[in-house]
Amino acid sequence: DGGITQSPKYLFRKEGQNVTLSCEQNLNHDAMYWYRQDPGQGLRLIYYSQIVNDFQKGDIAEGYSVSREKKESFPLTVTSAQKNPTAFYLCASSKQDNSYEQYFGPGTRLTVT
Amino acid sequence: AQRVTQPEKLLSVFKGAPVELKCNYSYSGSPELFWYVQYSRQRLQLLLRHISRESIKGFTADLNKGETSFHLKKPFAQEEDSAMYYCALWGDTNAGKSTFGDGTTLTVKP
């Protein structure tokens, strides 16, 4: 393993607080992705970025925000507007060479009470 | 819109039996299709992609555009194949946007 890291592994927050999840990669990949994984619902795409300083909404972007100021980093902020923030969050990266192979991080489990 | 459906949430077979994990997709253009696997306590990783037409760990998958399917098959299942399997799609338009199915948990019993 290695190459793409997420921290922390577990995160606890009170309702109403924004929280930022970290994702870093040293694979020199241009593209990065954030997914949410809920039991029985598979992976759902939150945001993705194909190049620095650019990103697009995925299928469930409401209540989330991202930035892509550096190639290596793609932090995700879960805002207080996200109605059901408790979930497992996965970050991934890929080359932009039409192979589309994504390399996944270990994930962050966020619990909001 | 692009959509991936994996109709079986759970699949259980005995060691040595054939296994088929179903995947159907909905996409109007030419999709790129993949199978990802997540073994216990490991990260999600690529198993195989349709464009390479290769066999990985004895698994194969054929893209059937007429039936819009990309089923994953293995003739003789092994206990170490027990894992969660996800089918995924990338479209040729809206580049970069990926869609995953809900996943199938495969259990291979001894």
Side-chain angles (χ1 to χ4, degrees), chain B residues 33-70:
Chain B
L33 285 152
F34 303 79
W35 278 98
Y36 280 80
V37 62
Q38 188 168 29
Y39 301 103
S40 179
R41 296 191 179 88
Q42 294 187 28
R43 301 185 186 195
L44 195 61
Q45 59 187 288
L46 178 68
L47 179 62
L48 56 80
R49 70 198 82 182
H50 93 270
I51 54 174
S52 63
R53 302 184 67 81
E54 57 191 342
S55 173
I56 302 293
K57 298 184 178 183
F59 284 98
T60 59
D62 290 318
L63 177 60
N64 186 323
K65 291 188 177 181
E67 296 183 357
T68 60
S69 68
F70 188 57

Side-chain angles (χ1 to χ4, degrees), chain A residues 1-2 4-5 33 35 37 40-43 45 48 50 57-59 88 90 98-102 104-106, chain B residues 9 32 34 36 38 43-46 49 51 84 86 90-92 94-103:
Chain A
D1 287 345
I4 181 163
T5 58
Y33 310 78
Y35 295 91
Q37 189 176 29
Q41 294 195 53
L43 276 69
L45 184 64
Y48 62 104
Q50 293 178 274
K57 293 181 179 180
D59 297 316
F88 189 65
L90 279 171
N98 294 326
S99 70
Y100 299 109
E101 178 177 358
Q102 293 191 344
F104 283 84
Chain B
K9 288 193 182 300
E32 301 287 345
F34 303 79
Y36 280 80
Q38 188 168 29
R43 301 185 186 195
L44 195 61
Q45 59 187 288
L46 178 68
R49 70 198 82 182
I51 54 174
M84 173 73 93
Y86 291 96
W90 267 252
D92 55 350
N94 199 7
K97 187 175 186 294
S98 51
T99 300
F100 280 73
D102 289 344

Side-chain angles (χ1 to χ4, degrees), chain A residues 73-101:
Chain A
S73 179
F74 191 40
L76 173 74
T77 297
V78 185
T79 75
S80 56
Q82 168 51 232
K83 295 178 181 178
N84 297 297
T86 294
F88 189 65
Y89 291 88
L90 279 171
C91 180
S93 69
S94 70
K95 297 178 186 177
Q96 286 289 75
D97 62 354
N98 294 326
S99 70
Y100 299 109
E101 178 177 358

